[in-house]
Amino acid sequence: MSASIAVAAGVDISKDHLDVAIYPAGTVRRFANDRSGQTALLRWIAAVGAARVVFEATGPYHRLFERRLAQAGVLFARINPRQARRFAEATGKLAKTDRVDAAVLARFGALIEPECRPLRSQLLDQLAELMAARRMLIRDQTATLNRAKTLTLDLLRRQAALRLKHIARQLAALDVEARALVASDTALARRLAILVSIPGIGEATAIALIADMPELGSMDAKQAAALAGLAPMA
């Protein structure tokens, strides 16, 4: 193994556990995903001299974890799950368990050396949470529409129609809240104006881009494609 390869820690994050792998050593440990477990994890990765910690974006669980990393002054890279999966496939790691995922993330961190970016603001975290809820409602809306096409009973049709109306109201409320959050920040409001000026990008898509890819505007096209999980990984 080349001595030039930096030590990296890969963390697979779940609600209850943090599975951590170290590359190139190959050691793997599991910690509880609570304050004491995170403290023990931070001590361990400091002891092994990890240059960066790599993990996938997983919603509320990763946001709590990355705040602990930032508070401890640990460099970290949050990557798109598609990016991690394509790297795993490219390196022949087809199995998917918590330990394997952690090992893949550690290897990705050591070999690819993804850029470590500063912690996102709390406002962006709130916006990302709203967008995650919106995506869930859209999936529910699509499923209800598809199901309604096959219903024959009047009762079930009425219930489906009511459910669709309820989803529409919820989506409208989420959009209002997201729009207000963006408007409260001058930089985000300007970014939204730029994005919606691009043909084919509506307000909802622009806000989702701001929430999921806040680095837009500070990277080149190749970096943006990699962050979105659209770039091929050798």
Side-chain angles (χ1 to χ4, degrees):
M1 186 65 64
S2 171
S4 63
I5 295 179
V7 176
V11 184
D12 182 81
I13 304 172
S14 64
K15 179 181 178 181
D16 298 318
H17 300 106
L18 299 167
D19 288 277
V20 189
I22 303 298
Y23 189 89
T27 50
V28 181
R29 288 183 59 181
R30 169 171 281 190
F31 299 87
N33 193 5
D34 55 26
R35 190 162 188 83
S36 61
Q38 291 168 3
T39 299
L41 182 156
L42 290 169
R43 288 173 180 166
W44 186 52
I45 61 174
V48 300
R52 58 167 49 79
V53 176
V54 181
F55 54 90
E56 294 180 0
T58 56
Y61 305 133
H62 91 252
R63 287 196 286 271
L64 293 172
F65 177 62
E66 72 181 1
R67 289 200 177 278
R68 284 301 307 276
L69 293 175
Q71 290 167 5
V74 176
L75 294 178
F76 63 86
R78 180 186 65 253
I79 65 172
N80 189 297
R82 290 191 300 275
Q83 192 177 8
R85 194 60 195 154
R86 287 175 180 174
F87 177 80
E89 292 168 353
T91 55
K93 297 293 184 182
L94 302 182
K96 187 166 177 61
T97 66
D98 294 343
R99 292 172 64 90
V100 169
D101 286 350
V104 166
L105 290 168
R107 189 178 183 188
F108 181 95
L111 301 182
I112 305 300
E113 296 186 346
E115 185 175 357
C116 296
R117 297 184 178 276
L119 183 69
R120 298 196 312 181
S121 68
Q122 191 169 3
L123 187 150
L124 280 173
D125 277 350
Q126 292 172 350
L127 193 61
E129 191 171 349
L130 287 174
M131 291 301 99
R134 193 180 195 281
R135 283 191 288 271
M136 290 181 65
L137 284 173
I138 292 294
R139 287 196 292 269
D140 193 4
Q141 184 182 56
T142 301
T144 303
L145 283 168
N146 290 336
R147 188 168 60 251
K149 294 176 183 177
T150 64
L151 298 176
T152 58
L153 297 178
D154 289 341
L155 173 61
L156 297 180
R157 287 177 176 173
R158 288 197 300 272
Q159 288 180 339
L162 287 173
R163 177 59 185 148
L164 288 171
K165 289 181 180 179
H166 184 56
I167 291 173
R169 287 194 296 270
Q170 289 181 312
L171 285 171
L174 287 177
D175 289 343
V176 168
E177 183 68 17
R179 196 178 298 118
L181 278 177
V182 172
S184 69
D185 185 281
T186 303
L188 294 186
R190 175 170 171 75
R191 192 175 302 175
L192 176 63
I194 292 172
L195 286 170
V196 296
S197 71
I198 300 171
I201 296 184
E203 185 183 63
T205 300
I207 292 176
L209 286 170
I210 291 171
D212 297 333
M213 298 179 64
E215 298 88 351
L216 281 176
S218 62
M219 59 177 68
D220 59 32
K222 290 183 179 179
Q223 291 173 321
L227 182 63
L230 300 174
M233 283 291 171

